[in-house]
C-alpha cells in the first residue's frame, strides 16, 4: 500500500443542467460547419489589402475569417510605428471606433450588423435579441516588422443570412475607404448544405 491508496473517494456530485446558449453568442458547439473558401479581396491597393479568406457556415449563423496586410512606403520610423499600432486596432467595446477598423454586414432584407459597441450580453433582456449581431471571436492575431504588418480576425454573424449579403469595411486611420464584397446566397446555401451535427439524438 502506498501513501495515496487509502484516500477516500470524493463524493458523487450531481450533474448540473447547462443553460441554453443563445444563438447570437457564437457558433453551435455540436456542429461541424460547412466551410466555404472565399479568397476574395474586400480592398486592394498599393499599400494595403484586406481579404475574406473563408466563411464557416453553421445552422444558426456564420463566421467570417478576415486577413489584412499593410506594407511600408516612405513612412519615417515614427510614422510606421503609428501605422503598425493602428493596424492592430480592431473593433472593440467602445462607442468611438472611428480610428479603428469598422466592419459591418448588410443583410438581403436591408438590416445591418456592425462589429462595434457593446455586445448583446452587456444589456438586460439579452435573451430577447432579434439580431442581426456581428461580434468578434477569439483566435485572431498579427505580426509586424520594419516592412510589413499583418493581422487576422474572426467574427460571428447571427442569424445566417438567406440571400446575397454584403461585407463592408472602412479604416480611416490607415487610409482604407469604405469597401465591400458580396457573399452570394448560393455560396451561403452551399455551406449550409454541408453542416453536420455531431449527434443525431
Amino acid at each position: 500500500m502506498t501513501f495515496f491508496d487509502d484516500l477516500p473517494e470524493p463524493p458523487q456530485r450531481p450533474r448540473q443542467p447547462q443553460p441554453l446558449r443563445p444563438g447570437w453568442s457564437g457558433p453551435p458547439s455540436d456542429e461541424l460547419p460547412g466551410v466555404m473558401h472565399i479568397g476574395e479581396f474586400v480592398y486592394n491597393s498599393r499599400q494595403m489589402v484586406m481579404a475574406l479568406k473563408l466563411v464557416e457556415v453553421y445552422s444558426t449563423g456564420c463566421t467570417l475569417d478576415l486577413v489584412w496586410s499593410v506594407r511600408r512606403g516612405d513612412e519615417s520610423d515614427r510614422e510606421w510605428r503609428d501605422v503598425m499600432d493602428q493596424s492592430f486596432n480592431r473593433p472593440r467595446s467602445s462607442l468611438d471606433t472611428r480610428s479603428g477598423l469598422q466592419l459591418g454586414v448588410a443583410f438581403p432584407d436591408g438590416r445591418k450588423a456592425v462589429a462595434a459597441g457593446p455586445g448583446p450580453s452587456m444589456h438586460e433582456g439579452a435573451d430577447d435579441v432579434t439580431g442581426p449581431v456581428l461580434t468578434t471571436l477569439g483566435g485572431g492575431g498579427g505580426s509586424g516588422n520594419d516592412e510589413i504588418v499583418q493581422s487576422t480576425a474572426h467574427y460571428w454573424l447571427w442569424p445566417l443570412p438567406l440571400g446575397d449579403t454584403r461585407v463592408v469595411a472602412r479604416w480611416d486611420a490607415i487610409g482604407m475607404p469604405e469597401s465591400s464584397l458580396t457573399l452570394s446566397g448560393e455560396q451561403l446555401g452551399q455551406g449550409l448544405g454541408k453542416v453536420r451535427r455531431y449527434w443525431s439524438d
Side-chain angles (χ1 to χ4, degrees), residues 20-44:
L20 290 175
R21 217 170 131 216
W24 52 259
S25 65
S29 60
D30 61 349
E31 289 184 359
L32 191 65
V35 179
M36 307 305 298
H37 295 275
I38 305 300
E40 295 290 343
F41 290 117
V42 178
Y43 178 72
N44 187 356

Side-chain angles (χ1 to χ4, degrees), residues 112-126:
K112 297 179 182 179
V114 177
S121 61
M122 304 286 288
H123 302 289
E124 293 183 12

Side-chain angles (χ1 to χ4, degrees), residues 98-183:
R98 289 169 294 180
S99 63
L101 168 61
Q102 293 179 286
L103 186 76
V105 174
F107 275 59
D109 60 7
R111 293 180 297 164
K112 297 179 182 179
V114 177
S121 61
M122 304 286 288
H123 302 289
E124 293 183 12
D127 291 339
D128 299 326
V129 174
T130 58
V133 174
L134 181 64
T135 58
T136 56
L137 294 175
S143 62
N145 55 40
D146 284 345
E147 297 299 327
I148 197 166
V149 58
Q150 297 176 310
S151 191
T152 62
H154 310 285
Y155 301 86
W156 171 244
L157 177 64
W158 175 87
L160 181 67
L162 300 174
D164 292 353
T165 302
R166 198 160 58 102
V167 178
V168 185
R170 186 174 76 191
W171 207 333
D172 293 337
I174 52 179
M176 176 180 165
E178 185 171 303
S179 308
S180 66
L181 67 76
T182 298
L183 292 171

Side-chain angles (χ1 to χ4, degrees), residues 48-138:
M48 179 185 178
V49 295
M50 177 178 287
L52 181 61
K53 290 171 50 178
L54 57 87
V55 175
E56 293 183 339
V57 179
Y58 294 83
S59 63
T60 56
C62 61
T63 64
L64 308 175
D65 190 354
L66 280 176
V67 60
W68 57 87
S69 184
V70 183
R71 65 177 179 174
R72 187 171 179 175
D74 56 2
E75 292 90 355
S76 66
D77 288 347
R78 180 172 183 168
E79 289 169 336
W80 180 241
R81 281 194 302 272
D82 289 342
V83 170
M84 291 181 69
D85 288 344
Q86 290 296 334
S87 297
F88 298 123
N89 190 6
R90 301 177 215 167
R92 57 203 185 280
S93 294
S94 168
L95 296 178
D96 183 8
T97 58
R98 289 169 294 180
S99 63
L101 168 61
Q102 293 179 286
L103 186 76
V105 174
F107 275 59
D109 60 7
R111 293 180 297 164
K112 297 179 182 179
V114 177
S121 61
M122 304 286 288
H123 302 289
E124 293 183 12
D127 291 339
D128 299 326
V129 174
T130 58
V133 174
L134 181 64
T135 58
T136 56
L137 294 175

